[in-house]
């Protein structure tokens, strides 16, 4: 009963959908037909980006209404959402993760660290940016990027 | 003059020659000669059995053979069925045994004693059903027990190791198994002696004919006592809960051909004894006898298969599965007696036919399973499923044969076990028409227990096959396995042919089974018609055509595998690396083991199984929070054994200790005992007279 009451009293918390982000839908993403399975890979982030990704999929920003959905294995995924500078220990697993995904596949680099090593550039354990390890299709700048930005990037993949 | 006496004489002569050959011949010749002669015993005994199933009967008295009473022998269709089963299993397993014992040195099964005893054991398996008097029966029964005890102990100096490995020193588990087996089988003998002595004294003679004639004049309480004593002994031999404790010890420790013989031929004789005494000699009895049997059968079926599900020792798993199957057979026998007690003869015949058919089916697939387990053991020296794996590629024929037998054991179509369990369920379900509160409660319960045990059996054999033969080897000994020698494969192929025949055309057994059921005074052909290939129940509108089931299944499998291939060929295929979570390649230690497979089941049946768990964490010296070593121990003890046997054993041991105080070693004390005893005796005589 408590659950039902909660549902009734809470109502709808999702923000009104912002307009479709400008920019072309990724050409390789067109085959996905608006339904995109997302696998997150933490390649060495400070966890700030993870919190924002979690926010992007929560009921307020609700990335799922645009057709993006998180999955638990790269075997099920179309998109790898990679955060953080790639540390030495995560370089090989990242390569293997991307290789394990079916075609067509996309890699989205989330956060400044993923784009150019950000705060951690030159660190002894850092192998490089995500683009140095796997080919990157889309980048979401910010330290950390706002959930809206992450949702907007995903909408450019789903096209919705 | 029928073929039976000639065949039995041949079997006896072959067995005698075999025993002498085992004693006299040098190792190189011994195994082959004894193996061939033992197979001959099997063929001759099987021939006699088939002749009896075909309708011929035989009886004789050899007054000189057994002192005082003389040896009484008789063969009817019921005895014939068990002889035929034992003979067929013997013939195939003996061929297998030649391959098994060759090339492994003159120890274990190849030793002089073992080879001399093997043909005698074979003969006793064939001859026990022939006995037609109490003394003859008990003599043969004890011969079977003793010879099998010798064979169980054959590998007491360390188990079978793969070629080129040094032998370990003596194996305590074999000796322990031998002790348990010796004690329990002789307790059984004591019960049999007491029961039959009582029966014979009341009936006024010890031949089966006299017993049969005199049974109805015996007061009901005495009849009940006889039945209870005899049933306890026979169910213990059949490995039914709670008197099963010897079985999961002795069957795994015996050399594999002996395990096969014990599990496929010897335990059956417990069922034979029960049917012969309960339904034939005593001529049936009140409902409570059979309700007791039903309870025992249901308990054995579920408890046996649960323990099998927990076992990670391959042969122990098979041994517990024997307990389960004998439980199913006991359910059938119990139901048959119950229906007969309520006067529903056709239904009783159906239940008994189902039970007997299950005996035959079980013998076929269990012998094959034990032989396949034996060839795994011989090739790897391992019985532990957690260390096996990857044998499908290394021992393809053995793996295929094991799979075939496992299909029979899971009682799903198209396996042979399915047909007998289907018949059993039919008889139980239709038995609800029989009046009585107990029947109304017990029969649905039995149906549920059978269904439960069948479901768990599927998990058990998926585990045995999947963990043992598929995936990757978890031990270098399993990785180095090689296929068994051709003679072992030949023996197993013979058994496999039996399994397939029973699965496809059980109708061939039809008339023989009818006669066997008829031998205990039930209307044989009343309930079943075996029209050509199928089974049809006349009273109940139900029929089963196994051949069609197999054809439909094969077609479905071909369609299900073929169509996607045809369709999928148009797509591009990419070979990808096995997903390993991004880490290194998975090692064999990460694969599913038998223990992990059984874990969910163990959780579900936690209250029944009461597993014991022991976690031992050792921290490093500097800090209590840093762990240096974790030791995890996990055991699923046989709970019935734990609760039932250990208190008895403890009580015995403490009585023994207390009694030791009486024998202090002083001669004066002993003389005093003698004197006191004499005085007490004299006093008793004075007062008594
Ligand atoms: S971009 Fe900022 S929040 Fe994201 S991982 Fe790097 S430092 Fe952390």
């Amino acid at each position: 009963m408590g659950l039902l009451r909660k549902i009734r009293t809470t109502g709808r918390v999702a923000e009104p959908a912002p307009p479709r982000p400008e920019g072309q839908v990724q050409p390789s993403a067109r085959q996905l037909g608006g339904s995109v399975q997302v696998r997150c890979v933490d390649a060495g982030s400070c966890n700030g980006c993870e919190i924002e990704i979690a926010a992007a999929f929560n009921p307020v920003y609700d990335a799922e209404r645009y057709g993006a959905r998180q999955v638990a294995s790269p075997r099920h995924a179309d998109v790898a959402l990679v955060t953080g500078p790639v540390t030495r220990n995560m370089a090989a697993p990242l390569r293997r993760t991307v290789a394990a995904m079916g075609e067509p596949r996309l890699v989205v680099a989330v956060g400044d660290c993923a784009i150019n090593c950000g705060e951690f550039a030159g660190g002894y354990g850092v192998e490089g940016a995500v683009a140095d390890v796997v080919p990157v299709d889309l980048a979401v700048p910010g330290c950390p990027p706002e959930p809206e930005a992450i949702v907007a990037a995903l909408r450019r993949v789903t096209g919705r | 003059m029928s073929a039976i006496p000639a065949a039995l004489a041949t079997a006896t002569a072959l067995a005698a020659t075999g025993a002498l050959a085992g004693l006299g011949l040098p190792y190189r010749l011994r195994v082959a000669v004894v193996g061939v002669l033992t197979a001959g015993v099997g063929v001759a005994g099987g021939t006699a059995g088939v002749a009896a199933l075909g309708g011929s009967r035989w009886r004789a008295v050899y007054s000189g053979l057994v002192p005082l009473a003389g040896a009484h022998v008789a063969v009817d269709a019921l005895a014939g069925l068990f002889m035929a089963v034992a003979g067929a299993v013997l013939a195939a397993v003996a061929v297998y045994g030649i391959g098994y014992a060759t090339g492994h040195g003159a120890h274990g099964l190849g030793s002089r004693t073992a080879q001399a005893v093997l043909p005698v054991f074979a003969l006793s398996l064939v001859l026990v059903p022939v006995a037609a008097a109490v003394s003859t029966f008990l003599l043969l029964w004890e011969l079977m027990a003793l010879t099998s005890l010798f064979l169980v102990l054959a590998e007491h100096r360390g188990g079978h190791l793969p070629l080129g490995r040094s032998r370990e020193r003596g194996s305590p588990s074999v000796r322990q198994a031998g002790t348990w087996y010796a004690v329990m089988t002789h307790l059984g003998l004591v019960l049999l002696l007491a029961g039959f002595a009582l029966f014979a004294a009341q009936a006024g003679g010890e031949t089966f004919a006299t017993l049969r004639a005199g049974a109805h004049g015996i007061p009901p309480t005495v009849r009940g006592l006889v039945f209870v004593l005899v049933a306890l002994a026979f169910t213990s031999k059949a490995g039914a809960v709670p008197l099963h404790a010897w079985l999961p010890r002795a069957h795994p420790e015996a050399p594999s051909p002996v395990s096969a013989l014990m599990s496929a031929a010897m335990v059956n004789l417990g069922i034979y004894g029960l049917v012969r005494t309960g339904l034939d000699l005593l001529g049936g009895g009140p409902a409570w006898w059979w309700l007791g049997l039903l309870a025992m059968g249901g308990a054995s079926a579920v408890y046996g298969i649960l323990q099998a599900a927990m076992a990670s020792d391959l042969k122990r798993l098979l041994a517990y599965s024997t307990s389960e199957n004998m439980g199913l057979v006991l359910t059938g026998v119990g139901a048959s007696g119950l229906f007969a007690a309520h006067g529903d003869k056709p239904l009783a015949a159906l239940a008994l036919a189902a039970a007997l058919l299950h005996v035959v089916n079980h013998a076929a697939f269990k012998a094959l399973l034990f032989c396949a387990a034996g060839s795994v053991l011989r090739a790897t020296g391992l019985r532990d499923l957690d260390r096996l794996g990857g044998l499908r590629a290394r021992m393809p024929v053995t793996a295929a044969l094991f799979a075939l037998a496992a299909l029979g054991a899971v009682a799903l179509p198209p396996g042979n076990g399915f047909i007998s369990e289907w018949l059993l369920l039919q008889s139980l379900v239709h038995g609800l028409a029989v009046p009585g509160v107990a029947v109304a409660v017990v029969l649905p319960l039995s149906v549920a227990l059978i269904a439960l045990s069948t479901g768990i059996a599927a998990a058990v054999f998926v585990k045995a096959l999947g963990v043992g033969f598929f995936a990757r080897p978890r031990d270098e000994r399993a990785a180095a396995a090689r296929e068994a020698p051709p003679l072992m494969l030949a023996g197993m192929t013979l058994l496999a042919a039996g399994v397939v025949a029973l699965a496809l055309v059980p109708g061939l057994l039809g008339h023989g089974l009818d006669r066997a059921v008829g031998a205990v005074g039930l209307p044989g052909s009343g309930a079943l018609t075996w029209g050509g290939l199928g089974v049809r129940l006349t009273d109940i509108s139900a029929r089963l055509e196994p051949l069609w089931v197999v054809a439909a299944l094969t077609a479905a499998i071909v369609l299900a595998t073929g169509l996607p291939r045809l369709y999928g060929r148009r797509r591009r295929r990419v070979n990808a690396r096995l997903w390993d979570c991004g880490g290194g390649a998975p090692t064999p230690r990460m694969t599913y083991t038998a223990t992990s497979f059984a874990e969910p089941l163990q959780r579900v049946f936690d209250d029944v199984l009461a597993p014991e768990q022991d976690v031992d964490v050792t921290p490093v010296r500097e800090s209590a929070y840093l762990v240096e070593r974790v030791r995890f121990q996990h055991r699923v003890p046989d709970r019935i054994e734990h609760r039932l046997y250990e208190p008895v054993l403890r009580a015995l041991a403490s009585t023994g200790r207390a009694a030791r105080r009486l024998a202090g070693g002083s001669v004066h004390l002993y003389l005093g005992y003698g004197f006191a005893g004499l005085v007490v005796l004299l006093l008793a005589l004075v007062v008594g007279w």
Side-chain angles (χ1 to χ4, degrees), chain B residues 406-571:
Chain B
L407 186 63
V410 298
L412 290 176
N416 60 346
F418 167 70
I419 297 161
S420 40
E421 288 199 28
W422 179 80
L423 279 178
L424 186 57
L425 284 176
Q426 286 288 352
S427 74
L428 289 179
V429 168
H430 289 92
L432 281 174
V434 173
V437 179
V439 178
V441 174
V442 168
L443 287 189
L445 208 61
S446 299
V447 171
L449 289 179
I450 292 176
L452 179 62
S453 72
T454 311
I456 303 176
V460 167
F461 284 97
V462 166
K463 174 176 99 170
L465 185 68
V467 175
F469 290 86
F470 294 167
R472 292 210 243 157
R474 293 179 206 84
D475 189 295
E476 82 267 16
R477 282 174 284 177
R482 274 181 301 151
E483 185 56 275
L487 269 178
M488 284 167 76
L489 295 182
M492 287 197 281
T493 314
L494 285 177
L495 290 169
V499 170
V500 172
L502 284 170
L504 294 185
V505 279
L508 293 183
L509 257 176
H511 294 296
L513 209 54
D514 281 343
R515 285 199 193 93
V517 172
V520 299
L522 294 171
S525 47
L528 290 168
T529 23
W530 305 79
L533 303 173
V535 185
R536 195 169 64 238
L537 314 183
T538 35
D539 279 16
I540 306 155
S541 58
R543 57 181 298 155
L544 178 69
E545 304 260 351
L547 218 49
W548 284 111
V549 174
V550 174
L553 272 174
T554 319
I557 289 172
V558 166
L559 274 182
T561 53
L563 277 185
R565 278 216 185 157
L566 276 182
Y567 171 72
R569 199 166 295 156
R570 281 184 233 132
R571 299 256 177 117

Side-chain angles (χ1 to χ4, degrees), chain A residues 73-75 93 96-97 100, chain B residues 576-579 582-584:
Chain A
S73 166
R75 285 276 192 243
R96 286 189 194 145
T97 306
Chain B
R577 185 189 151 97
L578 187 70
W579 175 235

Side-chain angles (χ1 to χ4, degrees), chain A residues 8 19-21 32 69 78 92 97 99-100 106 108 110-111 120 141 147 150:
Chain A
R8 189 165 51 79
R20 193 128 15 114
L32 299 176
R69 182 170 153 266
D78 308 307
T97 306
L106 287 95
V108 179
V110 176
F120 302 106
I150 300 173

Side-chain angles (χ1 to χ4, degrees), chain B residues 15-16 18-19 38 41 115-125 143-144 147:
Chain B
T38 311
V41 174
Q115 290 291 315
V117 167
L118 186 63
V120 184
F121 177 50
L123 183 69
S124 71
L125 285 178
L143 184 69
M144 176 179 81
T147 46

Side-chain angles (χ1 to χ4, degrees), chain A residues 41-121:
Chain A
V41 182
D42 178 344
S45 108
C46 79
N47 226 28
C49 289
E50 265 63 42
I51 291 173
E52 303 306 320
I53 290 177
F57 282 90
N58 75 9
V60 178
Y61 297 101
D62 200 9
E64 291 208 9
R65 59 185 151 164
Y66 309 113
R69 182 170 153 266
Q70 284 194 327
V71 290
S73 166
R75 285 276 192 243
H76 309 156
D78 308 307
V79 166
L81 219 53
V82 189
T83 59
V86 182
T87 56
R88 278 197 254 154
N89 282 345
M90 279 304 289
L94 177 60
R95 260 183 232 116
R96 286 189 194 145
T97 306
V98 173
M101 290 163 54
E103 309 254 8
R105 57 175 170 239
L106 287 95
V107 177
V108 179
V110 176
D112 286 348
C113 288
I115 297 167
N116 56 15
C117 298
E119 288 300 315
F120 302 106

Side-chain angles (χ1 to χ4, degrees), chain B residues 169-225:
Chain B
R169 297 201 40 236
S171 154
S173 56
V174 176
R175 271 173 236 156
Q176 210 195 10
T179 314
W180 274 86
Y181 181 40
V183 170
M184 291 204 61
T185 192
H186 283 100
L187 278 180
L189 183 72
V190 169
L191 289 175
L192 271 188
L193 261 176
F196 274 131
L198 190 61
F199 193 3
Q202 295 281 335
E206 62 116 32
T207 62
F208 283 1
T210 338
L211 293 181
R212 211 171 278 137
H216 288 282
I218 302 176
T221 41
V222 180
R223 271 164 58 100
L225 185 60

Side-chain angles (χ1 to χ4, degrees), chain B residues 185-354:
Chain B
T185 192
H186 283 100
L187 278 180
L189 183 72
V190 169
L191 289 175
L192 271 188
L193 261 176
F196 274 131
L198 190 61
F199 193 3
Q202 295 281 335
E206 62 116 32
T207 62
F208 283 1
T210 338
L211 293 181
R212 211 171 278 137
H216 288 282
I218 302 176
T221 41
V222 180
R223 271 164 58 100
L225 185 60
V226 169
F227 181 76
V228 168
L229 287 171
V230 171
L232 279 177
F234 284 134
T235 51
S236 164
K237 184 55 102 187
V241 170
L243 298 176
H244 66 293
W246 64 274
L247 192 140
R249 289 165 195 271
H251 287 211
E253 298 301 342
S256 298
V258 179
S259 318
L261 289 182
M262 288 173 75
S263 235
M266 194 180 77
V267 294
N268 294 350
L269 295 176
I271 303 295
Y272 167 75
L274 197 60
V275 174
R276 175 65 81 199
T277 340
L279 287 169
D280 181 20
L281 299 183
L282 285 167
W288 65 267
W289 296 9
W290 310 108
L291 290 174
L293 269 193
L294 275 169
M296 240 177 163
S300 307
V302 173
Y303 189 77
I305 201 65
L306 264 181
Q307 286 290 343
M310 295 306 124
S312 59
D313 178 330
L314 181 55
K315 285 179 77 177
R316 196 175 160 83
L317 178 149
L318 296 179
Y320 270 121
S321 144
T322 299
S323 230
E324 180 233 348
N325 281 292
M326 287 301 125
L328 295 178
V329 174
L330 280 182
T331 307
V333 175
S336 167
L338 190 63
F339 298 148
H342 282 98
D344 195 337
K345 290 277 169 95
L347 212 50
L350 174 60
L352 189 61

